[in-house]
Amino acid sequence: FGKAILFNEHFVVYGIPSIVSAIGNYTVAKVEPYEKSGFNLEDKRLATPKYKADKLSQQKESFELMFKKMGLDLSTNGVKITLEGNLVAASGIGASAASCVAVARALSDSYELDLSDEQINEIAYEGEKGYHGTPSGVDNTASTYGGLIWFQKGEKNVIDRISLLNPVEIVIGNTGKVTDTKAAVDGVKQRKEKNLKKYQEIFDRAENIAYLAKRAIQDRAYTNLGKLMNENHKLLQQIEVSSRELDFLVSIARDAGALGAKLTGGGLGGNMLALTPGKELQNKVATAIEKEGFQTVKTVIGASRENVE
Ligand code: MEV
């Protein structure tokens, strides 16, 4: 699955709880024998222009890290990997995590390793290091397990399922800008070190918001949930990971009636997310964003293998 972080991207890197959802769009990987050593990649995913070229060297590193973690020796007999599926390869919606999970699962099947979800998640985490350097693990976790998840990084990560009776409609808006998550994460680290007190206050509020948001989801209090998303966006602006395009799409979505809107993922470009319960509101918000020339994905939060196929 692709993913959308509902609350606390970036803060999650420092152990603040986050809420993440798998979305209904997914990546599929196929693995076949390859006559040469190493791997041959055919990437058939739809993608934001420049995404594939920009990410190619990170993608190669990511595959190598996963092969190593799985103990696969491809020096004599290699593999051909094909990536496809309906998840657009873009920044912020978990394209890298979804491809890591899909490749790990396909390799597990093809080498008859019979790996558990937990093992797949660990391998995908290793693969994510190729893209992020020091990922929190939130993306690969959502991608592996699906559904709506409370994720907190720690000595042992906390991964709790948040139950949602019915999936809720969202709109994801793509700024069309490919971004480097590692650079975004490094930027926060540097600014945090320089402004400890200010950042501590922002981080405290982010933590507080996570708990309030969990409660709002459980109570199905979507108006309140939307307000908390707006507030989360403000905190993300304060740590300087938003961008002009993201703020623009966020304001279009709110003006069109979204209950809340925020950037999602690494920021600095990539994607934003609007909470739009009900198909009618979802269409209205998506149309408003598309009218300005941006692409959208209409999907749901709370997607799991049972309700997506
Ligand atoms: C990227 O999707 C999410 C970040 O919080 C990085 C991470 O958690 O590894 C920005």
Side-chain angles (χ1 to χ4, degrees):
F1 295 108
K3 66 95 202 353
I5 298 183
L6 270 66
F7 290 93
N8 287 348
E9 43 275 277
H10 286 286
F11 302 109
V12 66
V13 173
Y14 298 86
I16 303 285
S18 62
I19 299 179
V20 62
S21 179
I23 58 171
N25 301 58
Y26 50 86
T27 295
V28 176
K30 254 195 258 168
V31 168
E32 296 159 280
Y34 181 54
E35 65 276 12
K36 294 186 192 151
S37 65
F39 69 94
N40 174 273
L41 172 68
E42 190 174 352
D43 193 343
K44 293 185 180 168
R45 293 174 299 169
L46 281 174
T48 293
K50 281 178 70 214
Y51 179 93
K52 288 185 191 172
D54 280 11
K55 301 280 173 185
L56 194 58
S57 69
Q58 294 186 347
Q59 189 179 31
K60 284 189 174 151
E61 194 186 333
S62 160
F63 285 161
E64 301 289 356
L65 287 167
M66 289 199 287
F67 300 148
K68 192 162 167 228
K69 176 87 179 165
M70 295 176 88
L72 297 179
D73 177 9
L74 305 180
S75 58
T76 328
N77 300 311
V79 284
K80 177 176 179 197
I81 298 174
T82 308
L83 291 178
E84 50 202 346
N86 64 0
L87 177 70
V88 176
S91 298
I93 55 170
S96 64
S99 75
C100 289
V101 171
V103 168
R105 284 212 172 105
L107 288 168
S108 169
D109 284 354
S110 126
Y111 287 89
E112 296 179 1
L113 302 175
D114 199 23
L115 300 176
S116 65
D117 277 353
E118 200 180 338
Q119 289 168 312
I120 294 292
N121 197 25
E122 277 168 19
I123 294 159
Y125 176 70
E126 210 53 34
E128 278 282 89
K129 288 183 185 167
Y131 295 94
H132 290 210
T134 52
S136 66
V138 64
D139 293 5
N140 47 281
T141 299
S143 184
T144 301
Y145 295 104
L148 189 58
I149 290 173
W150 172 271
F151 178 90
Q152 188 170 15
K153 182 183 157 191
E155 223 163 272
K156 193 172 182 326
N157 295 338
V158 177
I159 302 171
D160 285 340
R161 207 164 267 289
I162 303 177
S163 64
L164 194 64
L165 215 53
N166 298 305
V168 180
E169 288 79 7
I170 57 167
V171 175
I172 293 176
N174 190 350
T175 64
K177 263 181 103 174
V178 178
T179 55
D180 183 3
T181 308
K182 188 172 179 325
V185 170
D186 286 349
V188 173
K189 183 165 180 269
Q190 281 170 24
R191 290 187 291 277
K192 186 173 184 292
E193 278 163 9
K194 279 196 206 128
N195 303 285
L196 272 181
K197 192 170 171 294
K198 177 182 162 202
Y199 271 59
Q200 191 56 52
E201 281 165 20
I202 300 170
F203 275 54
D204 287 348
R205 181 60 191 153
E207 179 163 16
N208 196 236
I209 285 180
Y211 288 95
L212 296 172
K214 183 155 90 172
R215 168 61 65 82
I217 293 169
Q218 283 162 343
D219 293 348
R220 281 187 268 169
Y222 296 132
T223 304
N224 190 18
L225 187 68
K227 283 188 188 146
L228 292 167
M229 283 171 60
N230 289 342
E231 200 185 330
N232 207 218
H233 184 69
K234 218 178 261 169
L235 299 183
L236 292 160
Q237 285 175 319
Q238 287 168 9
I239 62 167
E240 298 180 42
V241 290
S242 192
S243 70
R244 201 163 41 85
E245 296 87 349
L246 281 166
D247 291 345
F248 178 57
L249 294 192
V250 161
S251 71
I252 292 174
R254 289 179 191 158
D255 290 348
L259 300 188
K262 62 181 278 290
L263 72 85
T264 189
L268 301 180
N271 278 271
M272 53 70 70
L273 157 74
L275 183 66
T276 55
K279 289 247 177 304
E280 198 183 322
L281 182 57
Q282 186 185 41
N283 284 331
K284 190 165 171 240
V285 170
T287 306
I289 293 174
E290 284 161 13
K291 260 195 193 145
E292 297 292 338
F294 295 89
Q295 287 180 345
T296 64
V297 175
K298 288 185 271 183
T299 186
V300 291
I301 52 172
S304 64
R305 269 184 262 175
E306 290 79 54
N307 58 29
V308 172
E309 219 51 75

